[in-house]
Amino acid sequence: QSVLTQPPSASGTPGQTVTISCSGSSSNIGSNTVNWYQQLPGTAPKLLIYSNNQRPSGVPDRFSGSKSDTSASLAISGLQSEDETDYYCAAWDDSLNGVVFGGGTKVTVL
Amino acid sequence: QVQLVESGGGVVQPGRSLRLSCAASGFTFSSFGMHWVRQAPGKGLEWVAVMSHDGTIQYYGDSVKGQFTISRDNSLNTLYLQMNSLTPEDTAVYYCAKNKGSGSSWWGPFDYWGQGTLVTVSS
């Protein structure tokens, strides 16, 4: 059971917008920034969004993040076939003194 | 360019120990906190441990507290994970990851990851 809660799956057709939610508590998302990682099959995760809504260099602006209170969201607009993979949210937890991850969301492009 | 290369994984019997290494290059290793993250086969990501840039601060995930020890040698640009009393539940790919912020920032995010090393605990 993950500390952060994500839906196990999400889907959309090419060009649509898919949104993935990440729910936490006051000790993690409520008091720290949220980061998102993309993991392609058989590869290491890649930082996709950091500090709630910042994109590292090279990440397309189709990817955007937001945070409100104890929840965060990742939106993928203009969905492409290459976006079909796993996404994880993460944040530091002040009570656990550690990084907590969501269980991951598998995005399917229909 | 930043490179993180893990080594030391393999098949180990339950109850035995293993030490993983992560060789870093392409950045000033001594300026950044470093993390270990693991992923059991077919499962999600699980944070294991962090060590601050100067080695003075370490935190562990609840599932490995008292069992694993993180350490670093800044003169060798290498991060370590000593794993003791291994159980089948420790079977996973272990990634080392660089903290994006430098200095006193060590709580993430992770901007670079190694390719991972597989640890299999089985008799």
Short mmCIF file of all heavy atoms in Angstrom, two decimals, chain A residues 3 27-28 92-100, chain B residues 47 59-62 65:
data_model
loop_
_atom_site.label_atom_id
_atom_site.label_comp_id
_atom_site.label_asym_id
_atom_site.label_seq_id
_atom_site.Cartn_x
_atom_site.Cartn_y
_atom_site.Cartn_z
N VAL A 3 2.01 5.22 0.13
CA VAL A 3 1.60 6.39 0.91
C VAL A 3 0.85 7.39 0.04
O VAL A 3 -0.12 8.01 0.46
CB VAL A 3 2.81 7.04 1.58
CG1 VAL A 3 2.42 8.32 2.28
CG2 VAL A 3 3.47 6.07 2.56
N SER A 27 1.54 15.66 5.68
CA SER A 27 2.96 15.44 5.97
C SER A 27 3.80 15.28 4.71
O SER A 27 5.04 15.34 4.79
CB SER A 27 3.15 14.22 6.88
OG SER A 27 2.73 13.04 6.23
N ASN A 28 3.18 15.06 3.59
CA ASN A 28 3.96 14.91 2.35
C ASN A 28 3.56 15.98 1.34
O ASN A 28 4.16 17.06 1.31
CB ASN A 28 3.86 13.50 1.78
CG ASN A 28 2.47 12.89 1.84
OD1 ASN A 28 1.56 13.36 1.17
ND2 ASN A 28 2.30 11.84 2.63
N TRP A 92 8.66 14.25 -0.48
CA TRP A 92 9.27 13.99 0.82
C TRP A 92 8.16 13.98 1.86
O TRP A 92 7.24 14.77 1.80
CB TRP A 92 10.30 15.07 1.16
CG TRP A 92 10.99 14.81 2.46
CD1 TRP A 92 10.67 15.34 3.69
CD2 TRP A 92 12.09 13.94 2.69
NE1 TRP A 92 11.50 14.84 4.65
CE2 TRP A 92 12.39 13.98 4.08
CE3 TRP A 92 12.87 13.11 1.87
CZ2 TRP A 92 13.43 13.24 4.64
CZ3 TRP A 92 13.90 12.38 2.42
CH2 TRP A 92 14.17 12.44 3.80
N ASP A 93 8.27 13.07 2.82
CA ASP A 93 7.30 12.97 3.91
C ASP A 93 7.98 13.37 5.21
O ASP A 93 8.93 12.71 5.65
CB ASP A 93 6.74 11.55 4.00
CG ASP A 93 5.54 11.46 4.93
OD1 ASP A 93 5.73 11.71 6.13
OD2 ASP A 93 4.44 11.14 4.48
N ASP A 94 7.47 14.43 5.85
CA ASP A 94 8.09 14.95 7.06
C ASP A 94 7.90 14.02 8.27
O ASP A 94 8.70 14.05 9.20
CB ASP A 94 7.51 16.33 7.39
CG ASP A 94 7.91 17.38 6.37
OD1 ASP A 94 8.97 17.21 5.74
OD2 ASP A 94 7.16 18.36 6.21
N SER A 95 6.84 13.22 8.26
CA SER A 95 6.61 12.31 9.38
C SER A 95 7.45 11.05 9.27
O SER A 95 7.96 10.53 10.26
CB SER A 95 5.13 11.92 9.45
OG SER A 95 4.32 13.03 9.74
N LEU A 96 7.59 10.54 8.06
CA LEU A 96 8.37 9.33 7.81
C LEU A 96 9.86 9.63 7.63
O LEU A 96 10.69 8.73 7.69
CB LEU A 96 7.85 8.60 6.57
CG LEU A 96 6.41 8.10 6.63
CD1 LEU A 96 5.98 7.53 5.29
CD2 LEU A 96 6.26 7.06 7.74
N ASN A 97 10.19 10.91 7.40
CA ASN A 97 11.58 11.28 7.08
C ASN A 97 12.09 10.45 5.92
O ASN A 97 13.14 9.77 6.00
CB ASN A 97 12.50 11.12 8.30
CG ASN A 97 12.43 12.31 9.22
OD1 ASN A 97 12.27 13.44 8.77
ND2 ASN A 97 12.54 12.07 10.51
N GLY A 98 11.34 10.50 4.84
CA GLY A 98 11.75 9.77 3.65
C GLY A 98 10.93 10.19 2.45
O GLY A 98 9.95 10.93 2.57
N VAL A 99 11.36 9.72 1.30
CA VAL A 99 10.62 9.97 0.06
C VAL A 99 9.53 8.91 -0.06
O VAL A 99 9.77 7.72 0.18
CB VAL A 99 11.55 9.90 -1.16
CG1 VAL A 99 10.75 10.04 -2.45
CG2 VAL A 99 12.62 10.98 -1.06
N VAL A 100 8.34 9.34 -0.40
CA VAL A 100 7.24 8.42 -0.64
C VAL A 100 6.81 8.51 -2.10
O VAL A 100 6.80 9.59 -2.68
CB VAL A 100 6.05 8.68 0.30
CG1 VAL A 100 6.42 8.29 1.74
CG2 VAL A 100 5.61 10.14 0.25
N TRP B 47 11.42 3.93 -2.35
CA TRP B 47 12.60 4.64 -1.89
C TRP B 47 13.25 3.84 -0.75
O TRP B 47 12.56 3.35 0.14
CB TRP B 47 12.21 6.02 -1.41
CG TRP B 47 13.33 6.83 -0.86
CD1 TRP B 47 14.29 7.49 -1.56
CD2 TRP B 47 13.62 7.05 0.53
NE1 TRP B 47 15.16 8.12 -0.69
CE2 TRP B 47 14.76 7.87 0.60
CE3 TRP B 47 13.02 6.64 1.72
CZ2 TRP B 47 15.33 8.29 1.80
CZ3 TRP B 47 13.56 7.05 2.93
CH2 TRP B 47 14.71 7.86 2.96
N TYR B 59 18.87 8.83 5.97
CA TYR B 59 17.52 8.40 6.31
C TYR B 59 17.22 7.13 5.54
O TYR B 59 17.75 6.93 4.44
CB TYR B 59 16.49 9.48 5.96
CG TYR B 59 16.51 10.67 6.88
CD1 TYR B 59 16.86 11.93 6.40
CD2 TYR B 59 16.17 10.54 8.23
CE1 TYR B 59 16.86 13.04 7.24
CE2 TYR B 59 16.18 11.64 9.07
CZ TYR B 59 16.53 12.89 8.57
OH TYR B 59 16.55 13.97 9.40
N TYR B 60 16.34 6.31 6.11
CA TYR B 60 16.01 5.03 5.52
C TYR B 60 14.51 4.82 5.43
O TYR B 60 13.75 5.32 6.28
CB TYR B 60 16.61 3.88 6.35
CG TYR B 60 18.12 3.90 6.41
CD1 TYR B 60 18.79 4.59 7.42
CD2 TYR B 60 18.88 3.23 5.46
CE1 TYR B 60 20.17 4.61 7.47
CE2 TYR B 60 20.26 3.23 5.51
CZ TYR B 60 20.90 3.93 6.51
OH TYR B 60 22.27 3.95 6.56
N GLY B 61 14.09 4.05 4.45
CA GLY B 61 12.71 3.63 4.39
C GLY B 61 12.41 2.66 5.52
O GLY B 61 13.31 1.92 5.96
N ASP B 62 11.19 2.61 5.97
CA ASP B 62 10.82 1.77 7.10
C ASP B 62 11.13 0.30 6.86
O ASP B 62 11.49 -0.42 7.79
CB ASP B 62 9.33 1.93 7.41
CG ASP B 62 9.03 3.23 8.13
OD1 ASP B 62 9.98 3.87 8.63
OD2 ASP B 62 7.85 3.61 8.20
N LYS B 65 15.04 -0.19 7.46
CA LYS B 65 15.69 0.43 8.62
C LYS B 65 16.28 -0.65 9.53
O LYS B 65 15.60 -1.64 9.86
CB LYS B 65 14.66 1.26 9.38
CG LYS B 65 15.21 2.47 10.07
CD LYS B 65 14.08 3.38 10.55
CE LYS B 65 13.39 4.08 9.42
NZ LYS B 65 12.36 5.05 9.87
#
